[in-house]
Amino acid sequence: FAVHARSGTTMPTLVQVAGLRWAIEECFETAKSDCGLDQYEVRHWEPWHRHIALAIAAFAFLSVSAIRTARMNDARERTDARPTTSPP
C-alpha cells in the first residue's frame, strides 16, 4: 500500500486503516446490488446527485433494519433457549 500519513503514525494504525478498505468495498458492492447505486446514466449533476443520495439513504435504512432484526432474533433465540421450570 502507498500511504500518505503524518510522520510518526504507527504501523498498527496504518494496518487498521488499510483494513477498513475491505468493509467499505463490501458496503459499496451491497449498495450496488441491493439499492441500484450503479444504475444511473449520468447526464446532469443534479439528478445524479439525487439518485446517489436516495440510493445511499435506502442502503442505510436497509442496513439498520437488518441489524435490528438480527438483534431481535438473537434476543428471541436466547429467550427461547432458557430452560423453563414447571410450577411445583
Side-chain angles (χ1 to χ4, degrees):
F1 285 94
V3 177
H4 176 74
R6 293 180 180 164
S7 60
T9 304
T10 63
M11 185 59 73
T13 302
L14 294 175
V15 170
Q16 180 184 12
V17 170
L20 291 175
R21 175 179 177 241
W22 299 111
I24 294 168
E25 291 284 334
E26 287 178 6
C27 284
F28 275 118
E29 285 299 318
T30 304
K32 286 178 183 178
S33 65
D34 293 353
C35 300
L37 186 64
D38 60 345
Q39 298 297 317
Y40 188 78
E41 295 180 16
V42 177
R43 289 197 172 81
H44 298 285
W45 163 255
E46 198 170 308
W48 174 84
H49 190 267
R50 289 179 185 150
H51 172 76
I52 295 301
L54 182 61
I56 290 174
F59 178 66
F61 174 79
L62 292 174
S63 298
V64 169
S65 297
I67 291 169
R68 287 183 178 171
T69 301
R71 286 182 182 165
M72 286 173 41
N73 288 339
D74 288 346
R76 199 173 295 144
E77 287 175 7
R78 277 188 249 121
T79 303
D80 292 343
R82 289 185 186 159
T84 57
T85 57
S86 59

